[in-house]
Amino acid sequence: MPVWTRAKAVVPYVVGGTKITLDVLSKVAGLISPPCVQTVIDGASQIITIVEERDIDETHITTTQGVKANRDDSKTLAGRLLGLLTVISETYKDKTDEDLPPDVKTSLHRLQTQLDDILVEIREMRRAIDPHTLKGFFRGILLYGDNSGKIRECTTRIDWAMNVFQVEGRVGDSLRLLDVHDIAQDIHQHVVAMHDKITNITNRAPPSAVDALPSSSIIPSRPRKLYGRDEVIKDIARRITTTGSPRYAIHGPGGIGKTALSMVVMDHPGVVGKYGDSRHFVQCEQATSPALLIELVARGLGIEESSKDRMKDVMARLRHSSQPVLLVLDNFETPWDIVGEQSRVESILCQITSLPHVGILLTMRSDRPPSTDVQWSIPWLDPLSGLREEPGRALYISIDPKAGSDSSLDALLAALSYMPLAIKLMASMGRSGQRPTALLQAWRDKAGGTDLFRGTDKNKSVNMSIRLSIESNLMKSVPEALTLLSLVAMLPAGANIELLPTLARDIPNLGLAQATLSEAALARVDGGTQTIQLLSPIRSYVLKHHPASDRTKQTVYDAYVQFVTEHNAVYGSARFLSDARALATEETNLEAILLLSIQSGSHSAIDAAIDFSQYQLLTRPRLEVITCVVDVCRQNESLDLLARSLETSGGISRLLAHYGTAQASYEEAAGVYGELGIRRGTADCLIGLGEVHRMQGQYPEAQVAYQKASDVYGELGSRLGAADCLRGLGEVHRMQGRYPEAQVAYQKASDVYGEFGDRLGTANCLISIGEVHRMQGRYPEAQVEYQKACDMYGELGHRLGTANCLRGLGRLYRLQARYSDAHKAFLEAKMMYEGLGAVDDAADCSKSLDSTFCEMHASAPRLP
């Protein structure tokens, strides 16, 4: 029977034991090293996870035959993957890369590409389903047909890939495929043999000097557990055990966990197996001179005897080893940044790396390995970054188990940028009785909380790690770097590279300063956003201990005021969307800088802050900036700016359903406009008051406000203002069930908006007409109006209007029992409302999602 046919034949009997088999195979993967093993293991594990998580309450699953079929398809694919894994493992368990002919390598490469594509599909399906939540379970049911097709397509691609592999790789006639049980036993024997070999190596008597280096150096104790670094550990261990002359650098900012990572890598079974007792850890932080560096390396190698030339002693000891040596140089930035001595330090490193059997793994606060004269292994290791959310949470809870139930834990971790050392320090304080909620508040109150971490031991103090980087010789050699660091710290979202020449126009040698910050690992460039970023603890430390000078602050203030002025296009104009995108890119920084700049009372800064708040009103309503502007205007007694800021505050408060605040703001603004004799402003505030009353169900009061505004607009000859009043009156009619009157008012208003090219006014009328049709059961007409309005809001970049349309479509689809469409619309609307801070609207969508699920479940056919 052909190999692949036999592999498929045993699939039905192995799925139940797949995880056990995969575990065995994963343990031996490093021994046999077939090119696709790790990908297949990962892919099969992902599919098995989907299969297991879809095996939820049988009373739910059996409601549809499609879900059951989807689960069977998943199991089939899992079995196919396992079969492919066993075929490759059996074929190449005794082969090396040199044994493979070129055509086989080509086939394996093509097979790897196929598996990579399949794995992407599997991961996408896995992320789309979370059966532990109502939303995830519902989504899993809705998507079952789509996923089943994807899974079957993946299975077909596995079969096709295997056929190509067999023909082109010429393995069909040469393989003798046993059943999975026999293969697992065979692999298990390999694992046992490998374990025995490692045991013999580690338990043997100390070797003589000619066999291996004596090691009196003490490797620091390995951390109990290194959270979130499993893949990085495996990758580094694989590289330094499979590369002939490994030369790697673990680089990243202080406090990120470089030292801990290097310790765990040294203790990795594969590394122990290759290097045995010839693993040496050298702590370089005391190497303040090249001579001290050599002495520390000599001590790390356990060299007790001494000649007059310690470098000669080091090289002699290394040369006399017949076993591979691994030298870990920790905190290498200390000797590397010694002013005027870099060439000597480089010479030491080059001499050591000239020995092919000596592997180098160094850690360094930098964004790249040191020295261009050393042939570093390619590709370089990626800079070490903060932990992901789940490992960060697990690390914190491992130290402070009670913190898991605190609702502020995730926000606290985010504030810490998931830096391992910062998490450990904060969790240690939590274990002593301070809950995450209190710690988060302390962090915010103390400008980032760096004062909470006091100490002199660098390994126990984030402060000290950052301070050592800032006070390094590298930073001292380029004074402008600290000025730039202080400037970037002012910007919570990082410094936009395109804006940097304007923001830092007073900083000479800007390029050199930027490069220095990157090399010192105090800042990094985010390729996605094209910004210079600081980790949160670093930024907090700089803000407190190295704040920007007054001159630098004013330059940044002026630059951002000018930025708002240049991107202040009228809503609905041709430039508005591009200007809105520009403002959105810098929104976080604009908030921070404008809040600071208006404190001086500068009219230009206050004007810019009001313009920026009006942009927020139209896109993402937020009160932080405008509330501060109102307070400043009251203090300065600037009536025109006060009126504008109050009106803007009223509009934002209304959209956020803060009706009391909105009404007070509109009424005060109308009074100020009256004092100033600006009747148009008074009429605009009256319309705002009409909206506030209408949204609270106060229809008589709303109608009075709209009519008063209409009278003023009529006297001013403002047809667009009168159209706004008509639309408001139409809303009042609709909410009271007077649909014919409402439709007439909407249509009249829409006609006027159309004449003047006011697309926002037109979109507002379209969504209201859609509501009228829906309430009267005219669903096709309603869908047309909603969709037209949604498209128009989208073109205008009006996120709130888009969300309102999506919610209207969700209600419409639900009435028609189109539950899948309803779910999608409600979910999109909910996410947009949440992004806008519209809590009540988001909650309404959540209720609609739950109701939609219950109605769908109740209407599903029951199996006998």
Side-chain angles (χ1 to χ4, degrees):
M1 182 183 296
V3 172
W4 188 229
T5 304
R6 293 193 62 188
K8 290 190 285 187
V10 300
V11 163
Y13 305 99
V14 302
V15 173
T18 298
K19 291 189 73 175
I20 298 173
T21 308
L22 281 172
D23 184 61
V24 175
L25 289 169
S26 65
K27 290 178 181 177
V28 79
L31 179 66
I32 57 180
S33 300
C36 303
V37 166
Q38 290 302 326
T39 300
V40 178
I41 291 174
D42 196 355
S45 298
Q46 294 273 349
I47 278 290
I48 292 164
T49 301
I50 293 176
V51 173
E52 290 179 342
E53 291 191 350
R54 282 172 172 257
D55 264 331
I56 43 185
D57 191 346
E58 216 34 51
T59 60
H60 294 294
I61 289 295
T62 54
T63 57
T64 62
Q65 289 291 338
V67 175
K68 195 171 183 180
N70 192 21
R71 186 181 57 199
D72 292 339
D73 289 333
S74 298
K75 288 183 177 180
T76 300
L77 178 54
R80 290 288 208 280
L81 287 164
L82 181 63
L84 176 59
L85 179 60
T86 57
V87 168
I88 297 176
S89 300
E90 182 68 9
T91 308
Y92 294 110
K93 64 185 179 185
D94 297 318
K95 297 184 184 300
T96 64
D97 187 67
E98 289 76 17
D99 296 330
L100 303 181
D103 57 344
V104 172
K105 291 183 179 180
T106 300
S107 299
L108 286 170
H109 176 73
R110 294 181 61 184
L111 179 56
Q112 179 74 59
T113 302
Q114 285 292 319
L115 291 172
D116 285 343
D117 293 340
I118 291 168
L119 184 54
V120 169
E121 290 282 346
I122 293 167
R123 284 173 170 161
E124 287 299 320
M125 287 184 277
R126 173 66 185 85
R127 281 194 290 267
I129 302 164
D130 181 4
H132 303 297
T133 64
L134 180 65
K135 180 180 77 175
F137 176 62
F138 177 60
R139 185 171 184 180
I141 291 177
L142 287 177
L143 299 178
Y144 79 83
D146 184 42
N147 277 354
S148 184
K150 290 179 180 178
I151 292 169
R152 285 194 295 270
E153 180 184 353
C154 288
T155 304
T156 301
R157 289 164 71 183
I158 285 282
D159 289 350
W160 178 87
M162 188 58 203
N163 287 333
V164 171
F165 174 70
Q166 280 188 266
V167 173
E168 296 185 2
R170 299 185 179 92
V171 300
D173 295 331
S174 63
L175 283 177
R176 181 176 57 85
L177 180 65
L178 306 175
D179 61 40
V180 172
H181 178 267
D182 290 340
I183 291 174
Q185 281 189 327
D186 185 45
I187 294 173
H188 179 67
Q189 291 173 3
H190 280 279
V191 175
V192 172
M194 183 178 180
H195 177 269
D196 291 342
K197 179 180 179 182
I198 293 173
T199 302
N200 290 335
I201 292 173
T202 56
N203 291 341
R204 69 189 180 189
S208 64
V210 296
D211 293 326
L213 296 173
S215 180
S216 62
S217 62
I218 300 175
I219 299 174
S221 59
R222 170 180 172 172
R224 287 183 305 160
K225 182 174 177 61
L226 205 58
Y227 289 85
R229 303 297 194 196
D230 292 349
E231 293 303 315
V232 178
I233 293 167
K234 284 168 53 179
D235 179 53
I236 299 176
R238 177 187 59 79
R239 294 196 198 195
I240 64 177
T241 54
T242 59
T243 305
S245 300
R247 310 277 185 264
Y248 289 104
I250 302 174
H251 40 94
I256 205 72
K258 301 181 295 296
T259 299
L261 178 61
S262 68
M263 293 177 189
V264 176
V265 168
M266 285 189 72
D267 204 26
H268 186 277
V271 176
V272 174
K274 178 175 180 178
Y275 296 98
D277 292 334
S278 295
R279 295 167 296 128
H280 306 277
F281 191 93
V282 180
Q283 295 172 311
C284 300
E285 59 187 325
Q286 299 177 35
T288 54
S289 70
L292 275 176
L293 173 62
I294 297 170
E295 181 60 32
L296 289 168
V297 173
R299 292 179 186 176
L301 293 173
I303 302 175
E304 297 178 357
E305 68 278 13
S306 175
S307 68
K308 294 181 180 180
D309 189 342
R310 291 296 273 170
M311 189 65 206
K312 183 178 179 181
D313 295 337
V314 168
M315 295 301 292
R317 179 59 60 87
L318 290 173
R319 286 195 190 97
H320 289 159
S321 174
S322 60
Q323 182 177 342
V325 176
L326 179 63
L327 196 59
V328 178
L329 305 174
D330 189 43
N331 293 115
F332 195 74
E333 71 276 357
T334 300
W336 184 250
D337 291 338
I338 300 171
V339 175
E341 297 286 5
Q342 196 169 92
S343 60
R344 289 183 62 193
V345 174
E346 189 171 42
S347 174
I348 295 168
L349 194 59
C350 288
Q351 289 183 66
I352 294 173
T353 57
S354 68
L355 303 174
H357 66 286
V358 177
I360 294 291
L361 180 66
L362 62 81
T363 73
M364 186 173 182
R365 290 192 191 97
S366 178
D367 64 342
R368 71 198 69 189
S371 177
T372 56
D373 289 345
V374 174
Q375 190 172 354
W376 297 101
S377 301
I378 302 295
W380 294 351
L381 299 177
D382 291 330
L384 202 59
S385 58
L387 300 177
R388 295 180 184 273
E389 182 177 348
E390 285 305 315
R393 185 180 179 85
L395 172 57
Y396 195 108
I397 293 173
S398 73
I399 300 170
D400 180 15
K402 295 181 180 179
S405 60
D406 194 299
S407 60
S408 296
L409 177 56
D410 291 337
L412 176 61
L413 292 170
L416 297 171
S417 296
Y418 299 97
M419 286 185 72
L421 184 54
I423 293 173
K424 291 177 183 177
L425 294 169
M426 196 69 89
S428 296
M429 288 184 285
R431 188 170 54 183
S432 66
Q434 299 183 65
R435 311 302 299 147
T437 299
L439 290 170
L440 178 62
Q441 188 58 50
W443 174 274
R444 290 169 174 166
D445 289 346
K446 294 179 180 292
T450 49
D451 274 357
L452 296 172
F453 306 133
R454 293 175 182 263
T456 56
D457 185 345
K458 179 180 65 64
N459 293 315
K460 296 181 180 178
S461 171
V462 171
N463 260 8
M464 187 59 71
S465 292
I466 300 169
R467 178 180 173 183
L468 287 173
S469 292
I470 292 176
E471 295 181 357
S472 67
N473 291 322
L474 173 65
M475 287 289 290
K476 289 177 181 177
S477 68
V478 186
E480 298 88 352
L482 182 55
T483 305
L484 178 59
L485 182 65
S486 300
L487 185 156
V488 176
M490 294 176 64
L491 308 173
N496 187 306
I497 292 176
E498 289 187 8
L499 288 178
L500 195 58
T502 302
L503 296 171
R505 61 174 178 264
D506 294 331
I507 299 179
N509 301 318
L510 181 58
L512 178 60
Q514 182 180 336
T516 302
L517 290 181
S518 178
E519 188 174 350
L522 288 167
R524 65 183 180 86
V525 175
D526 187 315
T529 61
Q530 287 298 295
T531 55
I532 301 174
Q533 297 277 351
L534 307 184
L535 287 173
S536 179
I538 295 176
R539 177 172 177 264
S540 299
Y541 181 91
V542 174
L543 285 173
K544 183 167 183 63
H545 297 283
H546 300 279
S549 67
D550 290 342
R551 178 179 178 181
T552 299
K553 289 177 182 176
Q554 192 59 53
T555 301
V556 173
Y557 296 162
D558 293 343
Y560 274 105
V561 166
Q562 183 63 29
F563 186 81
V564 173
T565 303
E566 291 175 354
H567 297 89
N568 190 27
V570 176
Y571 193 86
S573 68
R575 276 184 47 212
F576 179 79
L577 275 182
S578 60
D579 281 355
R581 291 191 192 99
L583 291 172
T585 300
E586 288 297 305
E587 185 164 3
T588 301
N589 288 338
L590 282 166
E591 282 194 8
I593 297 305
L594 290 173
L595 284 172
L596 292 171
S597 64
I598 62 175
Q599 300 303 321
S600 66
S602 163
H603 277 222
S604 61
I606 294 172
D607 247 335
I610 295 173
D611 289 342
F612 173 70
S613 296
Q614 289 173 345
Y615 148 78
Q616 290 188 314
L617 185 153
L618 295 168
T619 56
R620 185 181 177 183
R622 297 184 66 173
L623 282 166
E624 291 84 354
V625 172
I626 197 61
T627 299
C628 188
V629 172
V630 170
D631 292 340
V632 170
C633 289
R634 289 190 199 283
Q635 296 169 10
N636 294 347
E637 298 182 353
S638 177
L639 292 184
D640 57 335
L641 293 175
L642 177 60
R644 286 183 59 211
S645 62
L646 283 167
E647 183 185 357
T648 304
S649 174
I652 293 176
S653 298
R654 172 176 58 83
L655 291 177
L656 295 177
H658 301 163
Y659 298 124
T661 303
Q663 183 172 341
S665 296
Y666 278 133
E667 288 174 347
E668 186 178 357
V672 177
Y673 278 129
E675 287 183 46
L676 296 170
I678 304 176
R679 300 186 67 202
R680 174 60 187 258
T682 301
D684 290 344
C685 290
L686 285 170
I687 282 191
L689 282 169
E691 293 287 288
V692 170
H693 289 309
R694 178 182 62 77
M695 296 180 80
Q696 296 179 91
Q698 300 165 352
Y699 301 125
E701 294 89 338
Q703 195 161 349
V704 169
Y706 286 134
Q707 193 58 59
K708 285 183 179 179
S710 183
D711 292 342
V712 176
Y713 285 129
E715 294 171 11
L716 294 172
S718 173
R719 294 183 63 205
L720 279 175
D724 290 339
C725 295
L726 275 172
R727 186 174 64 82
L729 288 169
E731 292 289 284
V732 170
H733 290 314
R734 179 175 64 84
M735 297 303 293
Q736 294 180 291
R738 299 199 295 264
Y739 300 125
E741 296 93 328
Q743 189 162 352
V744 169
Y746 290 140
Q747 196 58 59
K748 286 182 179 179
S750 182
D751 292 343
V752 175
Y753 290 135
E755 282 184 50
F756 285 88
D758 187 338
R759 301 181 71 206
L760 176 59
T762 302
N764 289 335
C765 290
L766 286 172
I767 189 173
S768 297
I769 293 172
E771 289 288 293
V772 168
H773 287 312
R774 180 176 65 84
M775 298 301 292
Q776 294 180 287
R778 298 199 293 263
Y779 300 142
E781 294 91 335
Q783 184 172 345
V784 169
E785 301 300 325
Y786 281 136
Q787 196 59 59
K788 285 162 62 177
C790 193
D791 293 343
M792 198 168 289
Y793 282 129
E795 293 169 4
L796 292 170
H798 196 298
R799 299 177 66 206
L800 182 61
T802 303
N804 289 335
C805 287
L806 288 168
R807 179 166 59 176
L809 284 168
R811 291 169 175 168
L812 179 65
Y813 295 142
R814 183 177 158 197
L815 288 169
Q816 296 173 286
R818 295 166 55 183
Y819 298 120
S820 177
D821 293 332
H823 171 269
K824 181 179 179 182
F826 282 133
L827 186 60
E828 288 185 29
K830 175 178 177 290
M831 293 172 65
M832 293 192 78
Y833 283 133
E834 288 174 343
L836 293 166
V839 179
D840 292 341
D841 290 313
D844 178 68
C845 287
S846 292
K847 292 178 182 176
S848 297
L849 283 166
D850 292 344
S851 299
T852 301
F853 171 76
C854 292
E855 290 170 13
M856 184 208 69
H857 183 63
S859 65
R862 300 285 179 179
L863 295 177

